[in-house]
Amino acid sequence: KEDFEVTFYRGSGKGGQNRNKVETGVRIYHPESGAKAESCEERTQGQNKQIAFKRLTQTPEFKRWHKIKCAKMMGQAIDMETWLSEQMRPENLKIEEI
Protein backbone atom coordinates (compact mmCIF):
# COMPACT_ATOMS: atom_id res chain seq x y z
CA LYS A 1 0.00 0.00 0.00
CA GLU A 2 2.97 2.34 0.36
CA ASP A 3 3.26 2.32 -3.47
CA PHE A 4 0.05 4.35 -3.77
CA GLU A 5 -0.69 8.02 -3.15
CA VAL A 6 -4.14 8.32 -1.56
CA THR A 7 -5.85 11.69 -1.14
CA PHE A 8 -9.27 12.52 0.26
CA TYR A 9 -11.67 15.28 -0.71
CA ARG A 10 -15.20 16.47 -0.10
CA GLY A 11 -17.64 15.17 -2.66
CA SER A 12 -20.15 17.40 -4.38
CA GLY A 13 -23.79 16.97 -5.29
CA LYS A 14 -26.53 15.18 -3.35
CA GLY A 15 -25.85 13.70 0.05
CA GLY A 16 -26.67 16.44 2.48
CA GLN A 17 -24.68 17.54 5.46
CA ASN A 18 -22.39 14.48 5.60
CA ARG A 19 -21.19 15.06 2.03
CA ASN A 20 -20.58 18.76 2.68
CA LYS A 21 -18.62 18.30 5.92
CA VAL A 22 -16.72 15.02 5.61
CA GLU A 23 -13.96 14.15 3.13
CA THR A 24 -15.49 10.94 1.79
CA GLY A 25 -14.15 11.19 -1.77
CA VAL A 26 -10.98 9.22 -2.51
CA ARG A 27 -8.36 9.66 -5.25
CA ILE A 28 -5.64 7.07 -5.70
CA TYR A 29 -2.51 7.44 -7.83
CA HIS A 30 0.08 4.74 -8.54
CA PRO A 31 3.27 6.59 -9.60
CA GLU A 32 5.08 3.56 -11.05
CA SER A 33 2.32 2.76 -13.54
CA GLY A 34 0.78 6.21 -13.88
CA ALA A 35 -2.68 4.77 -13.12
CA LYS A 36 -5.29 6.96 -11.40
CA ALA A 37 -8.75 6.27 -10.01
CA GLU A 38 -11.29 7.96 -7.79
CA SER A 39 -14.63 7.40 -6.11
CA CYS A 40 -17.08 9.61 -4.24
CA GLU A 41 -20.38 7.79 -4.76
CA GLU A 42 -20.72 6.21 -1.31
CA ARG A 43 -21.27 7.86 2.07
CA THR A 44 -18.14 6.53 3.77
CA GLN A 45 -14.47 6.98 3.03
CA GLY A 46 -13.78 3.26 3.48
CA GLN A 47 -16.34 2.21 0.86
CA ASN A 48 -15.04 4.79 -1.60
CA LYS A 49 -11.46 3.65 -0.98
CA GLN A 50 -12.38 0.05 -1.86
CA ILE A 51 -14.15 1.16 -5.03
CA ALA A 52 -11.24 3.40 -6.07
CA PHE A 53 -8.67 0.62 -5.54
CA LYS A 54 -10.79 -1.77 -7.59
CA ARG A 55 -11.08 0.78 -10.39
CA LEU A 56 -7.34 1.43 -10.30
CA THR A 57 -6.49 -2.26 -10.67
CA GLN A 58 -8.76 -2.44 -13.72
CA THR A 59 -6.99 0.36 -15.61
CA PRO A 60 -4.87 -0.61 -18.64
CA GLU A 61 -1.86 1.25 -17.21
CA PHE A 62 -1.90 -0.74 -13.97
CA LYS A 63 -2.52 -4.06 -15.75
CA ARG A 64 0.45 -3.44 -18.05
CA TRP A 65 2.70 -2.49 -15.12
CA HIS A 66 1.58 -5.55 -13.13
CA LYS A 67 2.25 -7.93 -16.01
CA ILE A 68 5.76 -6.54 -16.54
CA LYS A 69 6.51 -6.59 -12.80
CA CYS A 70 5.39 -10.23 -12.48
CA ALA A 71 7.44 -11.27 -15.52
CA LYS A 72 10.54 -9.62 -14.07
CA MET A 73 10.00 -11.28 -10.68
CA MET A 74 9.74 -14.68 -12.37
CA GLY A 75 12.93 -13.99 -14.31
CA GLN A 76 11.19 -13.96 -17.67
CA ALA A 77 12.00 -11.49 -20.38
CA ILE A 78 8.98 -9.81 -21.91
CA ASP A 79 8.92 -8.37 -25.42
CA MET A 80 6.95 -5.15 -24.97
CA GLU A 81 6.24 -4.57 -28.66
CA THR A 82 4.74 -8.04 -29.12
CA TRP A 83 2.77 -7.83 -25.91
CA LEU A 84 1.37 -4.37 -26.70
CA SER A 85 0.35 -5.41 -30.22
CA GLU A 86 -1.49 -8.43 -28.74
CA GLN A 87 -3.25 -6.20 -26.21
CA MET A 88 -4.41 -3.78 -28.90
CA ARG A 89 -6.20 -6.41 -30.98
CA PRO A 90 -9.97 -5.72 -31.08
CA GLU A 91 -10.85 -9.07 -29.48
CA ASN A 92 -8.58 -8.27 -26.51
CA LEU A 93 -9.92 -4.77 -25.92
CA LYS A 94 -12.72 -4.79 -23.38
CA ILE A 95 -14.83 -1.66 -23.42
CA GLU A 96 -17.27 -1.20 -20.57
CA GLU A 97 -20.30 1.01 -20.81
CA ILE A 98 -20.95 3.19 -17.78
Side-chain angles (χ1 to χ4, degrees), residues 56-71:
L56 184 124
T57 60
Q58 299 302 313
T59 62
E61 298 89 1
F62 188 81
K63 286 182 179 181
R64 182 176 52 241
W65 172 84
H66 187 262
K67 182 169 179 118
I68 294 166
K69 187 84 166 177
C70 288

Side-chain angles (χ1 to χ4, degrees), residues 10-27:
R10 291 184 186 149
S12 61
K14 297 180 186 177
Q17 194 172 16
N18 184 62
R19 198 179 243 325
N20 296 333
K21 286 186 165 185
V22 182
E23 293 183 340
T24 57
V26 179
R27 282 189 192 102

Side-chain angles (χ1 to χ4, degrees), residues 43-95:
R43 287 182 54 86
T44 67
Q45 196 177 77
Q47 290 173 326
N48 282 325
K49 194 185 237 185
Q50 287 179 339
I51 292 168
F53 267 112
K54 186 174 182 178
R55 287 180 182 167
L56 184 124
T57 60
Q58 299 302 313
T59 62
E61 298 89 1
F62 188 81
K63 286 182 179 181
R64 182 176 52 241
W65 172 84
H66 187 262
K67 182 169 179 118
I68 294 166
K69 187 84 166 177
C70 288
K72 285 180 181 178
M73 289 178 74
M74 293 173 58
Q76 298 175 349
I78 186 167
D79 180 16
M80 284 301 297
E81 293 300 319
T82 305
W83 183 77
L84 283 174
S85 64
E86 288 175 7
Q87 295 299 311
M88 297 308 290
R89 288 186 192 156
E91 62 270 13
N92 293 335
L93 291 175
K94 294 179 182 164
I95 300 172

